[in-house]
Amino acid sequence: MKRIALITSGGDAPGMNAAIRSIVLACHEQDIQCLGFFHGYNGLMHDEFKELTVDLVAPIIQFGGTILKSARCKEMHQNSGVEQVASTLTRHSIDALIVVGGDGSFRGMMALQPYWQGHLIGIPATIDNDLACTDKTIGFATAVSTATHAIDKIRDTANAFERVFIVEVMGRHSGHIAFNVGLATGAEAILSFENCDSKNLEQVQADLINQIQSQRQHNHSGFVIVLAENLWPGGPHGLQAALRETAHIESAVCVLGYIQRGGNPCPEDRILATELGIEAVRAAKNRSGVMVGKVHGQISINCIIRATEQSKPVDQALRLAYNQICQLT
Amino acid sequence: MKRIALITSGGDAPGMNAAIRSIVLACHEQDIQCLGFFHGYNGLMHDEFKELTVDLVAPIIQFGGTILKSARCKEMHQNSGVEQVASTLTRHSIDALIVVGGDGSFRGMMALQPYWQGHLIGIPATIDNDLACTDKTIGFATAVSTATHAIDKIRDTANAFERVFIVEVMGRHSGHIAFNVGLATGAEAILSFENCDSKNLEQVQADLINQIQSQRQHNHSGFVIVLAENLWPGGPHGLQAALRETAHIESAVCVLGYIQRGGNPCPEDRILATELGIEAVRAAKNRSGVMVGKVHGQISINCIIRATEQSKPVDQALRLAYNQICQLT
Amino acid sequence: MKRIALITSGGDAPGMNAAIRSIVLACHEQDIQCLGFFHGYNGLMHDEFKELTVDLVAPIIQFGGTILKSARCKEMHQNSGVEQVASTLTRHSIDALIVVGGDGSFRGMMALQPYWQGHLIGIPATIDNDLACTDKTIGFATAVSTATHAIDKIRDTANAFERVFIVEVMGRHSGHIAFNVGLATGAEAILSFENCDSKNLEQVQADLINQIQSQRQHNHSGFVIVLAENLWPGGPHGLQAALRETAHIESAVCVLGYIQRGGNPCPEDRILATELGIEAVRAAKNRSGVMVGKVHGQISINCIIRATEQSKPVDQALRLAYNQICQLT
Amino acid sequence: MKRIALITSGGDAPGMNAAIRSIVLACHEQDIQCLGFFHGYNGLMHDEFKELTVDLVAPIIQFGGTILKSARCKEMHQNSGVEQVASTLTRHSIDALIVVGGDGSFRGMMALQPYWQGHLIGIPATIDNDLACTDKTIGFATAVSTATHAIDKIRDTANAFERVFIVEVMGRHSGHIAFNVGLATGAEAILSFENCDSKNLEQVQADLINQIQSQRQHNHSGFVIVLAENLWPGGPHGLQAALRETAHIESAVCVLGYIQRGGNPCPEDRILATELGIEAVRAAKNRSGVMVGKVHGQISINCIIRATEQSKPVDQALRLAYNQICQLT
C-alpha cells in the first residue's frame, strides 16, 4: 500500500481532526503517502486535495471541526457523480480511501464500491451516535458533554425561577444524546423516540402534565424537560404551546442547536479517534467495505452495510435508570 | 443599623450569589442582622424569608442562579402591593432594603420610596448591562463569556462547512452583549440597535448581502453574524428567510438563549459583586434611593432614578474597532 | 430491607455526589431509609450522620467533592475500631452499608465483614482507576478531562517557546491517567510504570534524550512529557535535573496535583455513578462483600476481594497507539 | 507608513494572537505591509520573518500562545545585539516596530531607540499585570480566570477533607493575580507582597495560624491560602513545613504554574488585544517610544519609560474587600 486518500464527510463532529492526525501519523510510520481531499466527496469529484504531512497535523488533535472541511454531496446519488469520484481515485493511483463520517457518507462508499477496485474503509464520526457496530461514534461524547454543561447553566435559571424549561437536543432520529444528557443533568423528564409512542403523544403529554403538577405540590425547584429533536410536532415550541393550552403551564424553550456539533473534542473522542485512525490504516491493507469501530472496549471490524442498516438502541441501563429515578425529584 | 433585608429580583444573573455572600459577610462583620426574602418582591409581600448566616453563604460565591430565588412581581405595579411590601419591612423593623436586580427591580424601589422610611439601596445585576452609572452590571461579563465560548464552537462548524450562521444573543434592547461577543469571536458581522437603523433594515440587509457575497469571492471560511435579540422582524429566522429570498444565501440559525443567564460567574463578576455588596452595606447607613456601581474603576454612588433613566451607550471603542476591522476578514 | 447506611471514603472523586443522589433516589423509590454518615468510617465510629432525603440530594448531581465529606480512618486498622463501627451499624438496625470509595475503603469493608451481619456493598470511586472488575472507576473520566484541558493550556506555552515540559499527573501506582491524558493531548512522551522499567531508568532516560534531540533537528514545536507520579526518583524535578545534567536539555515542570481530584463531574462519571448507585441498592438486598461495576458496558457484580487484589492493566490499545504514533511528532 | 514589523516577546500571554490579528487587519485596511518576526527579538537578530496576511490571522483570535513564537533574548543586553536588530529593521525599510510583551520587552525597545530612527510602539501583554499606564495587561484576565477555576476544583477536595490548602499563583513580584484570584474564590487567606511585610514573615505566620485555629473551632470546611510566588522562603513547601513545625497544622500544596500562561483567551483579553492592536497601528504613524494602554476605560498613550518604571499597585478596593470579609468565613 503506497497511497491513501482521506475525506471527512457529512455533519462535522468533534474528533474528526484527531482521526485525521492519527491516520497521517500511522501512514507516515509505514511510508504510506496520505492525500486529504476537501469538502467530503466534492473534493474527490473536483480533484481538490493536499498532501497531509506530519507537521501539518501535529497540533490539531485538540481542535473541533475538520481541516479537510466537510459537506454533503448530492452528486453522489447519481452514477455520473460516483464515476467521477472513482476516476479521481484511479488517476491518483490511490490504494485505499478512508471516509470519516456517518450514515450518509457510508452509503456513498457503498455506491462507490462497484466502480472502484481500491479498498474502502469507514470511520464512524457523528454526534448522533446512530451507527451500529461501534459503542460510540466519534463526536458523540463531546456533544453530550457540551449539552450537559449547557443544561447545567439553564438549571440555575430554572431553579431561581422555579420554572419549566423545554430543552431540545440533537440526535436526528435517535435518543442517544437525549438519554445521556437527560440522565447526566438530572432532568425531570426525557422525551425521546425510545420512550414516547409518536402515535400516542397525547398520552405522553398527559403523563408529563401530571408529573409537573405533582412535583409542584411538594417541591420548589425547576423542571427540566430534555426533548429529542424531530420528535414533537412543532418541536419544543409545539410542546410549549400544548402545555400552555392544555394545562396553563408556562415554560421556556431552549434549542441547543449547533453548539453541540463543535468545540474541542473531549479526551474520550480524541482517544477513540486516534485508535480508530490507526486501525483504519491497518485494515486498509487487506479489507474493504468495512467500518472500524469499538465494541465492548475491543476494536471491531464490520461490513459498512451492517453498520448502517442495523439500528443501535439506546443503552438499556440508561432507560432503566431514567424510569427508576429521574422522575422522582 | 441593626437589620437589613435583601432580595434578588428580576432576571437572574451570574454573580447574584456572590453579592448575597458579600452582603451577609459585611453585615456579620458589623453585627447587622440580614434577612433574605425569597422570590424578589413576592417574598416581601408574602413574608417568606430566612435569616442569612455566614455558614449558609460561605460556599456560594462560585454558583450561578440565586439562593434567594428570583421572580417578577406584578403586584408591585399597584399601590396595594407596594403597601404590603412596606408593611412587611416595617413589621420586621428593617433599617434598609438592598435590592439586587435590574431596571424593573429598581423601579420597584422607586415605587416603594413614598411608602416606607427605611433606606433603599440597589445593586445592579443583569446580564444585559443596560443600566447607567456603572461600567458593568453583575452578570454581564459571564454572559459575554458564555456566548463567546458558544460561538467559538459554532465557528468550528461554520468553517468546516463554509457556511453562514446567524447567532442571536440576548441584551433586551441594547447591544452590549452583541458588540462584546461579536468582537471577541471575530464575527464577520454584528447587527444591533447601535449600528442598524431599524427604520431602514432594507439597507442593512443589502449591505450584509454585499459583504457575504464579497467575502465568498476571495475567502473560504464561515461567516458568523451576531444578531441582537428584538432587532430583526421575525428574529433570526426572519433574517434567514430574507437572505434566502433576496439573495439565495442559505444560512443556519442558533438562538443562544437562556444559557447566557446561568452558569458559574466568571472572576470579574464575582469580584464586582463582592465589592458592590460591601459598598451597599456601607451606603445603607446614611443613603437611600441610590445604586452602588463602579465607574472607571472607582466605586460610584448615584440616584437610582439616574441609573434607570439615563441610557448607557455601547463603548465607542468597540464600535470603532468593529467598523475598522471586523468586516475585513 | 428497611434501612441503608452510606459513606464516601478515601480520596474524593468527582461523581461521588452523583452516586449519593442515585442511592437516595433509589432508596426513596423502594421505601428504604437512607442514613449518610460523615467523614467515611470516622462517622460510623463517632455516630455522626444525617438522614438523606430526596430534597437534599436533588441538586447535587453536578457538584464535585462529597456532601458526606471524606477522610482516611486509621482506627479501621485495629479491631477495636472495626468493632465500634459494627456496633454503630447494629445500634441503628442498618440492613446494608454502601461504601463509595477505592482500594483502602474496600479493605475496610473486608475488615468489617467478620464483625457485622449486614450486607456490604462497594461502589468503585477513585480518580486513579486502579480497581479491577470495572472498566472505569467513578471520577477517572473527569480527572482525565481536567488534566487534558490543563495540558492543552501548557501546550500553548510549550509551542510558543519551543520548550520541553514535564507534566506530572496523578494515578498512584498505575498509568491509567498518564496514558489516557498523554494520548489525548498528543504528548510527545509518556513515562509510566507500564512502559518504563523502574530498574532501568537510565535506559528510559537515554531513549528520552534521543527522542528530544532528534525532534529538535527537524521540528520546531514544544515537547510535552507526561510523567506518572511516584515513578521517577525525585519526581518531575528529578527528571528535570537529569535532563539538564546529562544532556544540557532545559525543561519546565508542572505538577497538576489536586485540580485532578475536584471539579464538576463530566457526564460519563455522572451516568456511571447513577447506574452504579441504583445497582448497589438492588444488590444490597441479597448480596454482600461485593462491588458493583461496569465491564464491557454491562453491569457486573464481583467479590470485593477480587476487585482489590487483581490488578487492572492499562488498555492495550492505548499502549499500542502510543508506541505507534505518539513518538513521531 | 508603508511597512510595520511585529514581534511577541517575553513570557507568552493569552491574547497575544488576538493582538497580532488586530494589527494585521488594521494594517490591511490602511494598505500597510506587516512583517511578523519570530521568537521575539531573536527573529529580528537572525532575520526570521513571514509576511502576515489577513487569511493567516483570521482564525487565531481564540487561540492561546502566539503564532510568532516568543523567547527571551540575551543579546539585547549588549550593544552588538541591539545594532543587529536595528540593521535588520533598516534593511527591510521598516517604518515602525510594534512589540507585544511585558517589562523586559519594553526595555529592549528603550535600548533600541538610540540605534534606530523608526517608530517604536509597545502593547502591554503579560499575565502578571505589572505594567503601569494600563488598567490591565493582555493575558491577565485569562490567567485570573484559569487560576480561579482551578481553585474552584481544589475547593471541592478542601471541603470534602476539611483540609488546609496552600495554592501558589503566578505574578512575579506583584499580587495582582493573587488578590483577584483570592477574592474570586473566597480564599480564607491571601499572602502577597502587598499585605505581608517580607521582613516580618514570622508575624504573618503567627496571624495565619491564629486564623486557621480559630476557624477550626466553629466551622468545618476547607481553608484555602492563596500564596503569591516569590514571597515565601522555600515557596509553598516552605510555608507548609512552617505550619507543620510551628503549629502541627497539616496542609496540601498546589503550584498552579504554567496552566496560568496558556489557554484560549477570555473575551476581555480578546477585546483588549483587539482595541490596543488597532490603536498601536494608529499611534505608529506619529508617535514613538510609547505604549498604548487602557486607563479607566479610555485608550491612553504613555511613554514606555513611565510604563516600566512606575509601579502599579493592586486595586485598593480589592485589598479593602479582602480585609473586611475574606477572613470571616
Side-chain angles (χ1 to χ4, degrees):
Chain A
M1 197 166 56
K2 294 189 177 164
R3 189 175 294 157
I4 270 179
L6 170 61
I7 61 171
T8 51
S9 165
D12 62 322
M16 279 184 162
N17 277 326
I20 294 170
R21 173 181 179 274
S22 166
I23 291 165
V24 172
L25 295 180
C27 284
H28 174 79
E29 199 242 352
Q30 298 163 58
D31 276 323
I32 300 165
Q33 197 186 24
C34 184
L35 305 187
F37 286 79
F38 291 98
H39 306 107
Y41 289 103
N42 299 285
L44 284 167
M45 210 156 288
H46 306 301
D47 207 20
E48 289 181 89
F49 71 96
K50 185 172 201 167
E51 185 178 343
L52 299 175
T53 60
V54 168
D55 279 2
L56 208 70
V57 302
I60 67 175
I61 193 168
Q62 64 172 278
F63 298 135
T66 155
I67 59 165
L68 290 179
K69 311 275 178 164
S70 190
R72 320 278 175 191
C73 179
K74 284 187 195 160
E75 290 92 332
M76 281 299 282
H77 295 291
Q78 294 167 336
N79 287 352
S80 60
V82 177
E83 283 171 13
Q84 214 174 323
V85 165
S87 105
T88 304
L89 291 167
T90 305
R91 192 165 60 254
H92 287 289
S93 308
I94 302 294
D95 296 305
L97 169 67
I98 300 179
V99 175
V100 183
D103 202 37
S105 313
F106 288 3
R107 287 183 209 286
M109 280 199 283
M110 290 190 274
L112 186 57
Q113 227 163 357
Y115 293 87
W116 182 61
Q117 309 308 317
H119 290 177
L120 288 160
I121 309 289
I123 295 182
T126 159
I127 64 163
D128 301 323
N129 198 26
D130 57 352
L131 278 168
C133 303
T134 193
D135 290 340
K136 296 188 180 179
T137 53
I138 296 167
F140 172 62
T142 303
V144 168
S145 174
T146 298
T148 296
H149 290 118
I151 298 181
D152 284 352
K153 292 184 202 294
I154 291 168
R155 173 68 70 182
D156 286 337
T157 298
N159 284 350
F161 276 80
E162 301 176 351
R163 195 168 179 186
V164 177
F165 271 80
I166 305 168
V167 186
E168 187 191 271
V169 297
M170 285 186 164
R172 243 179 13 142
H173 298 288
S174 77
H176 292 282
I177 293 181
F179 270 93
N180 277 275
V181 168
L183 218 66
T185 57
E188 277 74 13
I190 301 171
L191 303 186
S192 182
F193 303 93
E194 293 78 5
N195 66 341
C196 294
D197 180 355
S198 59
K199 287 175 189 145
N200 196 359
L201 288 178
E202 282 181 25
Q203 187 56 49
V204 171
Q205 183 179 312
D207 291 346
L208 178 65
I209 289 170
N210 270 342
Q211 193 195 340
I212 295 172
Q213 287 170 339
S214 131
Q215 184 228 42
R216 297 250 153 142
Q217 280 163 14
H218 68 84
N219 175 313
H220 292 285
S221 68
F223 191 105
V224 172
I225 303 163
V226 170
L227 174 66
E229 66 175 349
N230 297 320
L231 174 75
W232 206 271
H237 293 97
L239 178 57
Q240 181 186 43
L243 293 180
R244 183 188 299 121
E245 284 155 24
T246 321
H248 304 290
I249 293 171
E250 289 302 318
S251 60
V253 163
C254 300
V255 177
L256 296 187
Y258 285 92
I259 60 170
Q260 298 164 86
R261 284 257 296 266
N264 294 6
C266 68
E268 194 180 348
D269 276 327
R270 299 186 197 183
I271 292 170
L272 178 62
T274 300
E275 290 179 346
L276 296 187
I278 292 172
E279 197 56 35
V281 174
R282 184 176 301 141
K285 287 174 191 160
N286 48 24
R287 301 291 299 268
S288 187
V290 296
M291 183 192 90
V292 294
K294 220 168 166 187
V295 177
H296 294 169
Q298 305 297 319
I299 294 290
S300 171
I301 301 187
N302 288 279
C303 285
I304 43 175
I305 301 178
R306 222 181 121 201
T308 53
E309 296 195 347
Q310 278 193 342
S311 76
K312 180 169 70 180
V314 169
D315 190 359
Q316 182 74 356
L318 284 180
R319 297 185 50 186
L320 290 175
Y322 169 66
N323 289 338
Q324 196 173 356
I325 69 164
C326 273
Q327 300 171 324
L328 294 175
T329 51
Chain B
M1 198 165 55
K2 294 188 175 162
R3 190 173 295 155
I4 271 180
L6 170 61
I7 61 170
T8 50
S9 167
D12 62 324
M16 281 184 160
N17 276 326
I20 294 170
R21 173 181 179 273
S22 165
I23 291 165
V24 172
L25 295 179
C27 284
H28 174 80
E29 198 243 351
Q30 298 163 60
D31 276 324
I32 300 165
Q33 197 185 24
C34 185
L35 306 186
F37 286 80
F38 291 97
H39 306 106
Y41 289 103
N42 299 285
L44 285 166
M45 211 156 286
H46 306 300
D47 208 19
E48 289 181 88
F49 71 97
K50 184 173 205 168
E51 185 177 344
L52 298 175
T53 60
V54 168
D55 280 1
L56 209 68
V57 301
I60 67 174
I61 192 169
Q62 65 171 277
F63 298 135
T66 155
I67 60 165
L68 291 179
K69 311 273 177 165
S70 190
R72 320 276 175 192
C73 178
K74 285 187 195 163
E75 291 91 332
M76 281 299 282
H77 295 289
Q78 294 167 337
N79 287 351
S80 60
V82 178
E83 283 171 13
Q84 213 174 323
V85 166
S87 106
T88 304
L89 291 166
T90 305
R91 192 166 61 255
H92 287 289
S93 309
I94 302 295
D95 298 304
L97 169 66
I98 299 179
V99 176
V100 183
D103 201 38
S105 313
F106 288 4
R107 288 182 208 285
M109 279 200 284
M110 290 189 274
L112 186 57
Q113 227 164 358
Y115 294 87
W116 184 60
Q117 309 306 317
H119 290 176
L120 288 159
I121 309 289
I123 294 182
T126 159
I127 64 163
D128 302 323
N129 198 26
D130 57 352
L131 279 168
C133 302
T134 193
D135 292 339
K136 297 189 179 179
T137 52
I138 295 167
F140 171 62
T142 303
V144 168
S145 174
T146 299
T148 296
H149 289 118
I151 297 182
D152 284 351
K153 292 184 202 296
I154 291 167
R155 172 68 70 183
D156 287 336
T157 298
N159 285 348
F161 277 80
E162 301 177 352
R163 195 169 179 186
V164 177
F165 270 80
I166 305 168
V167 186
E168 186 191 270
V169 297
M170 284 186 165
R172 244 179 11 143
H173 298 288
S174 77
H176 293 282
I177 293 181
F179 270 94
N180 277 275
V181 167
L183 219 64
T185 56
E188 278 73 13
I190 301 172
L191 303 186
S192 182
F193 303 93
E194 293 78 5
N195 66 341
C196 295
D197 180 355
S198 60
K199 287 174 191 146
N200 197 0
L201 288 179
E202 282 181 25
Q203 187 57 48
V204 171
Q205 184 179 313
D207 292 347
L208 178 65
I209 288 170
N210 271 342
Q211 193 194 340
I212 295 172
Q213 287 170 340
S214 131
Q215 185 230 40
R216 296 250 154 143
Q217 280 162 14
H218 68 84
N219 175 315
H220 292 286
S221 68
F223 190 105
V224 173
I225 302 163
V226 170
L227 174 67
E229 65 174 350
N230 297 319
L231 174 75
W232 205 272
H237 293 97
L239 179 57
Q240 181 185 44
L243 293 180
R244 184 187 299 122
E245 285 155 23
T246 321
H248 303 291
I249 294 172
E250 289 301 318
S251 60
V253 163
C254 301
V255 177
L256 295 186
Y258 284 91
I259 61 169
Q260 296 163 87
R261 285 257 295 268
N264 294 7
C266 67
E268 195 180 348
D269 276 327
R270 299 185 196 183
I271 292 170
L272 178 62
T274 299
E275 290 179 347
L276 296 187
I278 292 172
E279 197 56 36
V281 174
R282 185 177 299 141
K285 287 174 189 159
N286 49 23
R287 302 290 299 269
S288 188
V290 297
M291 182 192 91
V292 296
K294 221 169 166 186
V295 176
H296 293 171
Q298 304 297 319
I299 294 290
S300 170
I301 301 187
N302 289 279
C303 285
I304 43 176
I305 302 177
R306 220 181 122 202
T308 52
E309 296 194 347
Q310 279 192 341
S311 76
K312 182 170 67 179
V314 169
D315 191 358
Q316 183 73 358
L318 283 181
R319 295 184 50 187
L320 289 176
Y322 170 65
N323 288 338
Q324 196 173 355
I325 69 163
C326 272
Q327 299 170 326
L328 294 176
T329 50
Chain C
M1 196 165 56
K2 293 186 176 164
R3 189 173 294 155
I4 270 179
L6 170 61
I7 60 171
T8 51
S9 166
D12 62 324
M16 280 185 161
N17 277 327
I20 294 171
R21 174 182 179 272
S22 165
I23 291 165
V24 172
L25 295 180
C27 284
H28 174 81
E29 199 243 352
Q30 297 164 59
D31 277 324
I32 301 165
Q33 197 185 24
C34 184
L35 306 186
F37 287 79
F38 290 98
H39 306 106
Y41 288 103
N42 299 285
L44 284 166
M45 211 157 286
H46 306 300
D47 208 19
E48 288 182 88
F49 70 96
K50 185 171 203 168
E51 184 177 344
L52 299 175
T53 60
V54 168
D55 279 2
L56 209 69
V57 301
I60 65 174
I61 193 169
Q62 64 171 277
F63 298 135
T66 155
I67 60 166
L68 290 178
K69 311 272 178 166
S70 190
R72 320 276 175 191
C73 179
K74 285 188 194 161
E75 292 91 332
M76 282 299 283
H77 295 290
Q78 295 166 336
N79 288 351
S80 60
V82 177
E83 283 171 12
Q84 213 174 324
V85 166
S87 106
T88 304
L89 290 167
T90 305
R91 192 166 60 254
H92 287 289
S93 308
I94 302 295
D95 297 304
L97 169 66
I98 299 179
V99 175
V100 183
D103 200 39
S105 313
F106 288 3
R107 288 182 208 285
M109 280 200 282
M110 290 190 274
L112 186 57
Q113 227 163 357
Y115 294 87
W116 183 61
Q117 309 307 318
H119 290 176
L120 288 159
I121 309 289
I123 294 182
T126 159
I127 63 162
D128 302 322
N129 198 27
D130 57 352
L131 279 168
C133 303
T134 193
D135 291 340
K136 297 189 179 177
T137 53
I138 296 168
F140 171 62
T142 303
V144 169
S145 174
T146 299
T148 296
H149 290 117
I151 297 181
D152 284 351
K153 292 184 203 294
I154 291 168
R155 172 68 70 182
D156 287 337
T157 298
N159 285 349
F161 276 79
E162 301 177 351
R163 196 169 178 186
V164 176
F165 270 80
I166 305 168
V167 186
E168 187 190 271
V169 297
M170 285 188 164
R172 246 182 7 145
H173 298 289
S174 76
H176 292 283
I177 293 181
F179 270 93
N180 276 275
V181 168
L183 218 64
T185 57
E188 278 74 13
I190 301 171
L191 302 186
S192 182
F193 303 93
E194 293 78 5
N195 65 342
C196 295
D197 180 356
S198 60
K199 288 175 189 144
N200 196 359
L201 288 178
E202 282 180 26
Q203 186 57 49
V204 171
Q205 183 179 311
D207 292 346
L208 179 65
I209 289 170
N210 270 343
Q211 194 195 340
I212 295 173
Q213 287 171 338
S214 130
Q215 185 229 41
R216 297 250 153 142
Q217 280 162 14
H218 68 84
N219 174 314
H220 292 285
S221 68
F223 191 105
V224 172
I225 303 163
V226 170
L227 173 67
E229 67 174 350
N230 297 320
L231 174 75
W232 205 271
H237 293 97
L239 178 57
Q240 181 186 43
L243 293 180
R244 184 188 298 122
E245 286 155 24
T246 321
H248 304 290
I249 293 172
E250 289 302 318
S251 60
V253 163
C254 301
V255 178
L256 295 187
Y258 284 91
I259 60 169
Q260 297 164 86
R261 285 256 295 267
N264 294 7
C266 67
E268 194 180 348
D269 276 328
R270 300 185 196 183
I271 292 170
L272 178 63
T274 301
E275 291 179 347
L276 296 186
I278 292 172
E279 196 58 34
V281 174
R282 184 177 300 142
K285 288 173 189 160
N286 48 24
R287 302 291 298 268
S288 187
V290 296
M291 183 193 91
V292 295
K294 221 169 165 186
V295 177
H296 294 170
Q298 305 296 318
I299 294 290
S300 170
I301 301 187
N302 289 280
C303 285
I304 43 176
I305 302 177
R306 221 181 122 200
T308 52
E309 297 195 346
Q310 277 193 342
S311 76
K312 181 170 68 180
V314 168
D315 191 358
Q316 182 75 356
L318 284 179
R319 296 185 50 187
L320 291 176
Y322 169 64
N323 289 338
Q324 195 172 356
I325 69 164
C326 272
Q327 300 171 326
L328 295 177
T329 51
Chain D
M1 198 166 55
K2 294 189 176 163
R3 190 174 293 157
I4 271 179
L6 171 61
I7 61 171
T8 51
S9 166
D12 62 324
M16 281 185 161
N17 277 327
I20 293 170
R21 174 182 178 273
S22 166
I23 291 164
V24 173
L25 294 180
C27 283
H28 174 80
E29 199 243 353
Q30 298 164 58
D31 276 323
I32 300 165
Q33 197 186 24
C34 185
L35 306 186
F37 285 79
F38 291 97
H39 307 106
Y41 289 103
N42 299 285
L44 283 166
M45 210 155 287
H46 306 300
D47 207 19
E48 289 181 88
F49 70 97
K50 184 172 204 167
E51 185 177 344
L52 298 175
T53 60
V54 168
D55 280 1
L56 209 70
V57 301
I60 67 176
I61 193 170
Q62 65 171 277
F63 298 134
T66 155
I67 59 164
L68 291 179
K69 312 275 176 163
S70 190
R72 320 276 176 194
C73 178
K74 285 187 194 163
E75 290 92 331
M76 281 299 283
H77 295 290
Q78 294 167 338
N79 288 352
S80 60
V82 178
E83 283 171 13
Q84 212 173 325
V85 165
S87 105
T88 304
L89 291 166
T90 306
R91 192 166 58 255
H92 287 288
S93 309
I94 302 294
D95 296 304
L97 169 66
I98 300 180
V99 175
V100 183
D103 202 37
S105 314
F106 288 4
R107 287 183 209 286
M109 279 200 283
M110 291 189 275
L112 186 58
Q113 228 163 357
Y115 293 87
W116 182 61
Q117 308 307 319
H119 290 176
L120 288 159
I121 309 290
I123 294 183
T126 157
I127 64 162
D128 302 323
N129 199 26
D130 57 352
L131 280 168
C133 302
T134 193
D135 291 341
K136 297 189 178 177
T137 53
I138 295 168
F140 172 62
T142 303
V144 168
S145 174
T146 298
T148 296
H149 290 118
I151 297 181
D152 284 352
K153 292 183 202 294
I154 292 168
R155 174 67 72 181
D156 287 336
T157 298
N159 285 349
F161 276 80
E162 300 176 353
R163 195 168 180 186
V164 177
F165 270 80
I166 304 168
V167 186
E168 186 190 270
V169 297
M170 285 186 164
R172 244 179 11 142
H173 297 288
S174 77
H176 292 282
I177 293 181
F179 271 93
N180 276 276
V181 167
L183 218 65
T185 57
E188 278 74 12
I190 300 171
L191 303 186
S192 182
F193 303 93
E194 293 77 6
N195 66 342
C196 294
D197 179 356
S198 60
K199 287 174 190 146
N200 196 359
L201 288 178
E202 282 181 26
Q203 188 55 50
V204 172
Q205 184 179 313
D207 291 347
L208 179 64
I209 289 170
N210 270 343
Q211 193 195 339
I212 295 173
Q213 287 170 339
S214 131
Q215 185 229 42
R216 297 252 154 141
Q217 280 162 15
H218 68 84
N219 174 315
H220 293 286
S221 68
F223 191 104
V224 173
I225 303 162
V226 170
L227 173 67
E229 66 174 350
N230 297 319
L231 174 76
W232 205 271
H237 294 97
L239 178 56
Q240 180 186 44
L243 293 180
R244 184 188 298 122
E245 285 155 24
T246 322
H248 303 292
I249 293 172
E250 290 301 319
S251 60
V253 163
C254 301
V255 177
L256 295 187
Y258 284 91
I259 61 169
Q260 297 164 87
R261 285 256 296 268
N264 295 6
C266 67
E268 194 180 348
D269 276 327
R270 298 186 198 183
I271 292 170
L272 179 61
T274 300
E275 290 179 346
L276 296 187
I278 292 172
E279 198 55 37
V281 174
R282 184 176 301 141
K285 288 174 191 161
N286 49 23
R287 302 290 299 269
S288 187
V290 296
M291 183 192 89
V292 295
K294 220 169 167 186
V295 176
H296 293 171
Q298 304 297 318
I299 294 290
S300 171
I301 300 188
N302 289 278
C303 285
I304 43 175
I305 302 176
R306 221 181 122 201
T308 52
E309 296 195 347
Q310 278 194 342
S311 76
K312 181 170 70 179
V314 169
D315 190 359
Q316 182 74 358
L318 284 180
R319 296 185 49 187
L320 291 175
Y322 170 65
N323 288 339
Q324 196 172 355
I325 69 164
C326 272
Q327 300 170 325
L328 295 174
T329 50

